[in-house]
Amino acid sequence: MVSGGTYGTEDIVHGAGYGKAILILLLTPLLWSLPTAFMIGELSSALPFEGGYYAWVRRAMGNFWGFQEAWLSLVASIFDMAIYPTLFVAYLTRMFPWFQENHRGVAVALGVVIVCAVLNIMGVKVVSTTSLWLFFALSAPFAAIFALAPFKIHALANAVTKPTTSNVDILGGLLICMWNYMGWDNASTIATEVERPQRTYPRAMLVAVAIVCITYVLPFAAMWITGLPASAWETGAWADVAQLMGGPVLRIALVAGGMMSGFGMFNALVMSYSRLPLAMAQDGMLPKIFGKLHPKSRAPWVAILALAIGWGLALNLGFERLVTLDIMIYGASLTLEFVALICLRIREPELKRPFRVPGGLFGAIAVGIPPVLLLGFAIIRSEHEVVLGMSSLLFGLIVIGAGVVAHLINHALKPAGWAAATPKPELAG
């Protein structure tokens, strides 16, 4: 749920150049991913509850902040989830430019949303199986590029590539890098559906950080030695690189991989995000209809359909704008999770924690400082993006503030909650 392979990373090189891009790709997991993975490891092992990060914040700071955590996560998901069908179309049009005309690309992206919603309603097992096979399929073209690079040293310095339209600078490249390394908390929402989560989550998080970093850095390092200009890169450019490295067969394989990456990531994340409305409905914080499960697959089908509508509405915003909004709003929810880590250390020191962020209370505080500081770059960048005639920063602040209004309305309609908290039913596993 974090990495869909190296697809979608091209603009990092365009904005920063090879050397700085690789440095960013190496430092970002240390300052952004690893602290988040440590935080997720402690909270998910101590509180492996349905709803994950929403449940942690609610337990640590009460219903209001739990609602805000869920609101921020779901709103961020609208922009985050729209990115993956956008990548699907970006790679599709590298092979079939016909889909760039009129609204054909948006129609294809909407088709991805619909198909993945149906797959998830069929049950978690379908999602897990397809995602596993997709991982191996989408990694193969980059392994081939890495293997071929030593035979192309300095051979692509004057290569002719498709003119780029990217205007991403180094700050934009950093945000795209942060997006490629985020999402560690998504797996926490299905903790009750994972075997031995107290042991599984911490180990999986730490190993995954290293694996994801390697899959990002090695292909770019390989292309650096070929001499291909950094200016040639933009979203979808890996298809052209594959053509230069291995001919039309490798190009087709990489385009297919890029499409599968967008599809597979979207498919897996539907499962994660749909558990938030479900958990809130079970806690009485949303109407009971959001807690309805499919009679056969046990998937939260009402929550999936409701979210799919929101995801579909954001499909035409563009890759860079979606990333900026996603990082900014997701960052606010991530900050609440780090605060929850500290609050639980203070309020529940005796809580059993099979995995613990080292360093005591100081360590719990310090681990959140680098990610929160990095989020400042998203705020700076958001001033240069425009959404609905306003800066992305203003738009994001309105969206974040709307969570407070939504909670007040929710509380006014049902002061005692929509229903008494119910036992958690068995979900698809």
Side-chain angles (χ1 to χ4, degrees):
M1 298 184 187
V2 176
S3 170
T6 315
Y7 306 96
T9 58
E10 297 97 326
D11 280 304
I12 302 173
V13 172
H14 182 97
Y18 284 104
K20 292 179 182 177
I22 291 175
L23 183 62
I24 290 173
L25 286 166
L26 290 172
L27 290 180
T28 299
L30 297 178
L31 301 175
W32 173 255
S33 301
L34 199 58
T36 303
F38 271 116
M39 179 266 290
I40 300 299
E42 174 169 328
L43 293 179
S44 61
S45 66
L47 304 170
F49 297 156
E50 194 70 37
Y53 40 87
Y54 148 75
W56 307 335
V57 173
R58 181 170 180 257
R59 176 157 171 167
M61 295 184 284
N63 287 344
F64 173 79
W65 289 111
F67 188 94
Q68 299 311 308
E69 173 69 13
W71 171 269
L72 292 169
S73 299
L74 290 174
V75 172
S77 85
I78 292 176
F79 306 109
D80 184 55
M81 294 294 274
I83 293 172
Y84 302 104
T86 299
L87 286 177
F88 183 96
V89 173
Y91 282 96
L92 175 66
T93 54
R94 288 280 169 164
M95 187 63 67
F96 303 104
W98 180 81
F99 286 101
Q100 290 178 313
E101 301 175 10
N102 301 321
H103 298 290
R104 292 165 183 165
V106 176
V108 171
L110 185 60
V112 172
V113 174
I114 294 171
V115 170
C116 289
V118 172
L119 279 177
N120 274 265
I121 291 173
M122 290 172 60
V124 173
K125 186 175 182 180
V126 174
V127 175
S128 302
T129 302
T130 56
S131 297
L132 178 62
W133 286 107
L134 283 169
F135 170 77
F136 292 109
L138 62 87
S139 299
F142 294 101
I145 288 173
F146 181 76
L148 291 170
F151 302 98
K152 299 277 187 175
I153 295 177
H154 303 306
L156 303 183
N158 299 311
V160 178
T161 59
K162 178 181 177 181
T164 64
T165 58
S166 175
N167 57 3
V168 174
D169 55 14
I170 188 169
L171 183 55
L174 174 60
L175 292 187
I176 292 171
C177 184
M178 291 169 64
W179 171 72
N180 276 278
Y181 276 117
M182 81 179 199
W184 302 98
D185 47 358
N186 287 318
S188 68
T189 62
I190 53 169
T192 59
E193 300 162 70
V194 176
E195 185 178 355
R196 296 192 304 274
Q198 288 85 355
R199 294 183 57 194
T200 302
Y201 273 110
R203 295 181 180 182
M205 291 289 178
L206 296 176
V207 172
V209 169
I211 293 175
V212 171
C213 183
I214 290 171
T215 60
Y216 288 163
V217 170
L218 290 185
F220 281 129
M223 290 310 304
W224 193 5
I225 67 174
T226 68
L228 182 69
S231 59
W233 294 90
E234 67 174 350
T235 303
W238 275 116
D240 298 334
V241 169
Q243 175 80 33
L244 294 170
M245 297 294 289
V249 174
L250 188 56
R251 178 187 179 89
I252 293 171
L254 196 136
V255 167
M259 293 167 62
M260 287 190 292
S261 171
F263 181 92
M265 289 295 292
F266 188 97
N267 195 37
L269 287 168
V270 171
M271 175 179 63
S272 171
Y273 286 123
S274 64
R275 269 45 182 184
L276 277 177
L278 169 67
M280 294 177 73
Q282 292 169 348
D283 291 337
M285 296 181 70
L286 284 180
K288 290 194 297 183
I289 189 171
F290 289 101
K292 284 187 174 293
L293 303 179
H294 192 277
K296 292 185 178 180
S297 67
R298 311 300 294 165
W301 66 274
V302 174
I304 291 173
L305 291 178
L307 289 173
I309 294 172
W311 298 331
L313 293 175
L315 289 174
N316 205 29
L317 286 176
F319 180 72
E320 296 166 26
R321 190 178 292 114
L322 287 170
V323 168
T324 300
L325 289 169
D326 185 20
I327 290 288
M328 182 170 56
I329 300 172
Y330 166 81
S333 68
L334 185 67
T335 300
L336 286 180
E337 294 168 37
F338 279 109
V339 174
L341 173 69
I342 298 168
C343 289
L344 286 171
R345 282 287 190 95
I346 296 172
R347 296 181 59 185
E348 300 186 44
E350 303 303 320
L351 179 67
K352 185 178 179 182
R353 296 172 170 86
F355 175 83
R356 180 185 292 265
V357 175
L361 180 60
F362 174 80
I365 296 172
V367 77
I369 294 176
V372 172
L373 290 178
L374 279 176
L375 291 172
F377 291 109
I379 296 174
I380 296 172
R381 180 67 178 185
S382 64
E383 295 179 351
H384 303 290
E385 296 284 356
V386 178
V387 179
L388 299 179
M390 67 184 80
S391 71
S392 294
L393 176 59
L394 178 58
F395 179 81
L397 291 175
I398 292 173
V399 168
I400 292 171
V404 177
V405 177
H407 181 268
L408 293 175
I409 295 174
N410 195 43
H411 184 71
L413 293 175
K414 292 289 182 178
W418 291 90
T422 59
K424 312 299 184 188
E426 182 181 351
L427 296 176

